[in-house]
Amino acid sequence: MKNAQILKGMITSGVNNLYNNYPHIDKLNVFPVPDGDTGTNMNLTCTNGFAEIENEDFENIGSLMAKFSRGLIMGARGNSGVIFSQIIKGFSNGMKDKENLDLETWKDSFAKAKEVAYAAVMKPVEGTILTVIRETSEFVNSITDELTPDDFWDKVVVAANKSLDGTPDLLPALKEVGVVDSGGYGLVKFLEGMQYFINKLKPVAKLKKLEENTGANIEMAIEDEFGYCTEAIVMLNDEFINKLKVDTVRNTFEQYGNTSIVAVMDGDILKIHTHALMPGQVLSYLQQFGEFRTIKAENMTLQADRHVSNTADESSARSTAQKQRTLKNEVATIAVVRSKGMEDYFKNELSVDYVIDGGSKMNPSTKDFMTAIEAVDAKKVYIFPNDSNVLLAAKQAKDLEKMSKVVVIETKTIPQGITAYLNLDTDESAKKNESNIAKAIKNVVSVSINKAARDATIDGVNIKTGEYMMTADKKITISAKTLNDVFTKSLSKYITSKTEILTIFTGQDASFKDINDLRKYLDENHDVEYEVIDGQQEVYSFIIGIE
């Protein structure tokens, strides 16, 4: 078997093994609600890279790894995906002009993988995927004896796992919840897949049924994160190819006050990932260097996997649709919800003109908003995002819309959305409405109750798997074995003599008994009006608005 065939088999096996494990990696990604995405991002990054080489034969290892590397860079998603793509770029650099997969080739490849990965991150953090590639590289380059491929890869995997096991000692947030770094875990699974091919001479088989993500996710910020996760690929103009310095880009982002800055270059492409308060500022700066191939900007708390495409076809289609509009309505409203039951309530009870069902993860795209704006065809359109993760997509739609005046009301929860809509006066100016609504939603307490999917300690609350936990305005207030304990020990604190009404959305997990217990508790302990709505939402047994 030729070296290029062996390497392609190793890559195939690594990609498959990462795919088989990505749901578990998502769980490591510190909040017990199902929306982690490190595994998803790494898997999609790998899938994109593998698509570039899957149906092609290669004469040498250098050209194979170079094409795989470029595919990864083009498809890299999230911080973990970008750093992983840079590790593979280092492998590619180490294999350039090499013919054999011998010890010296792997020594060079691992050394360059470490260098390129660290160079991509402005402020490297230890206890992450960076530590795993650095310590594994150091081990590889300490080997003096010539080993068989099987022995070499067995030792590499042992060293990588040892490094991974040490990540909690370097990053306190990992140790607090008792997990290893998710990105490092993904890298180890890729390396284990490569080892498998060397040992068995066949790739790891893709599993038909993957581990179900039931919500035991760990979302971690390894620094004080804020703003929006912003990513872009720029196809550089000729005058910037091999001339633009990534340090210039990184330093500019740092001057903007951005964090988690990653900028990498590969020939005619510039790939960036950063966390910014003003993503528009980042994109405007980048546009001077060439044309955008892809753009993504999302609220940091979700980092969901939503891409905003700027292709000519979409722009043309949107322009055609805009020309056909007549703005027949004076004012229209658009709201985002998380379930069919909520959609029915917002449409039928509140009479919102257009309701977007964002699903359990509340992640509608900018295109979804553009479709809604075109559908309501009004001179002035008010959007109620009803989740902090949705704000940026709504604002991007506002910037893209050329006919309607779009006003994004910054509602961050479903209860805030209800109050905001009820306080909207269509005869008033947008500025006056924004001011009045901002005052009104300050009087709303947004409560959610769900079952914890894993043990954790957050906001000083010790959470146990299977217990009921309650959050009030995004802060965890209690974890208890019974719903009655949640009602009496925590919910009760937010129902005061000034409380006028509770709006209660019941979820798929709320049983008939659970709902009756809540009714009974309120009837016996509080002189307050309440409305119970069959919300049908996933994840949360109850979503409650108190005002």
Side-chain angles (χ1 to χ4, degrees), residues 14-23 43 47 206-208 210:
V15 170
N16 288 354
N17 201 43
L18 185 56
Y19 168 80
N20 291 346
N21 287 276
Y22 87 81
N43 174 55
T47 299
K206 266 192 172 183
L207 297 178
K208 292 182 179 180
L210 299 181

Side-chain angles (χ1 to χ4, degrees), residues 183-234:
Y185 188 94
L187 174 60
V188 168
K189 291 304 164 187
F190 183 80
L191 296 177
E192 286 179 349
M194 298 178 82
Q195 172 207 24
Y196 183 94
F197 185 85
I198 291 297
N199 291 164
K200 308 287 187 180
L201 289 181
K202 63 179 183 180
V204 170
K206 266 192 172 183
L207 297 178
K208 292 182 179 180
K209 185 175 182 180
L210 299 181
E211 176 181 350
E212 183 180 357
N213 188 346
T214 56
N217 294 5
I218 300 295
E219 282 185 3
M220 281 196 45
I222 56 179
E223 52 186 85
D224 292 331
E225 302 290 7
F226 58 88
Y228 299 93
C229 177
T230 306
E231 295 183 4
I233 295 177
V234 182

Side-chain angles (χ1 to χ4, degrees), residues 134-402:
R134 175 179 60 78
E135 292 182 344
T136 305
S137 171
E138 290 169 354
F139 168 77
V140 168
N141 280 275
S142 72
I143 297 174
T144 56
D145 298 330
E146 193 67 41
L147 302 172
T148 66
D150 291 63
D151 288 342
F152 171 77
W153 277 98
D154 289 348
K155 291 180 181 295
V156 167
V157 166
V158 169
N161 272 288
K162 181 180 178 182
S163 177
L164 178 66
D165 291 342
T167 55
D169 295 326
L170 299 173
L171 204 54
L174 291 172
K175 197 162 194 174
E176 183 179 359
V177 294
V179 296
V180 296
D181 176 66
S182 55
Y185 188 94
L187 174 60
V188 168
K189 291 304 164 187
F190 183 80
L191 296 177
E192 286 179 349
M194 298 178 82
Q195 172 207 24
Y196 183 94
F197 185 85
I198 291 297
N199 291 164
K200 308 287 187 180
L201 289 181
K202 63 179 183 180
V204 170
K206 266 192 172 183
L207 297 178
K208 292 182 179 180
K209 185 175 182 180
L210 299 181
E211 176 181 350
E212 183 180 357
N213 188 346
T214 56
N217 294 5
I218 300 295
E219 282 185 3
M220 281 196 45
I222 56 179
E223 52 186 85
D224 292 331
E225 302 290 7
F226 58 88
Y228 299 93
C229 177
T230 306
E231 295 183 4
I233 295 177
V234 182
M235 307 304 295
L236 296 173
N237 292 336
D238 290 344
E239 63 265 33
F240 295 109
I241 297 174
N242 298 322
K243 294 179 182 177
L244 178 64
K245 305 296 183 185
V246 288
D247 284 346
T248 302
V249 177
R250 293 183 193 132
N251 291 336
T252 300
F253 289 170
E254 189 170 43
Q255 290 170 14
Y256 291 163
N258 295 3
T259 61
S260 193
I261 300 167
V262 181
V264 298
M265 209 110 54
D266 187 55
D268 61 345
I269 64 172
L270 167 66
K271 171 96 180 186
I272 70 95
H273 171 284
T274 186
H275 299 160
L277 276 176
M278 294 183 289
Q281 185 182 45
V282 171
L283 299 178
S284 295
Y285 169 74
L286 292 173
Q287 198 166 19
Q288 66 183 302
F289 302 124
E291 295 296 323
F292 288 115
R293 175 156 177 166
T294 61
I295 297 172
K296 187 194 85 170
E298 294 178 337
N299 185 280
M300 271 299 300
T301 57
L302 182 66
Q303 274 195 328
D305 197 13
R306 182 171 65 247
H307 277 245
V308 179
S309 173
N310 287 341
T311 64
D313 287 346
E314 287 185 352
S315 297
S316 175
R318 186 173 296 123
S319 297
T320 301
Q322 298 254 7
K323 289 175 183 176
Q324 294 172 348
R325 291 162 59 194
T326 60
L327 301 184
K328 60 185 178 183
N329 300 307
E330 288 295 321
V331 180
T333 52
I334 298 170
V336 182
V337 297
R338 59 172 62 246
S339 66
K340 180 63 169 62
M342 289 183 178
E343 180 181 354
D344 291 343
Y345 179 81
F346 272 71
K347 278 183 179 178
N348 302 329
E349 299 298 324
L350 298 183
S351 299
V352 173
D353 296 304
Y354 194 107
V355 182
I356 300 171
D357 185 353
S360 62
K361 292 191 177 184
M362 288 290 275
N363 61 346
S365 67
T366 298
K367 186 177 179 181
D368 292 333
F369 281 109
M370 295 302 297
T371 300
I373 292 167
E374 291 168 7
V376 296
D377 196 25
K379 294 176 183 176
K380 187 185 294 182
V381 178
Y382 287 93
I383 297 179
F384 302 88
N386 299 339
D387 194 290
S388 56
N389 300 321
V390 180
L391 281 174
L392 184 60
K395 289 179 178 179
Q396 285 175 329
K398 171 186 175 180
D399 293 339
L400 288 170
E401 172 58 29
K402 302 303 181 187

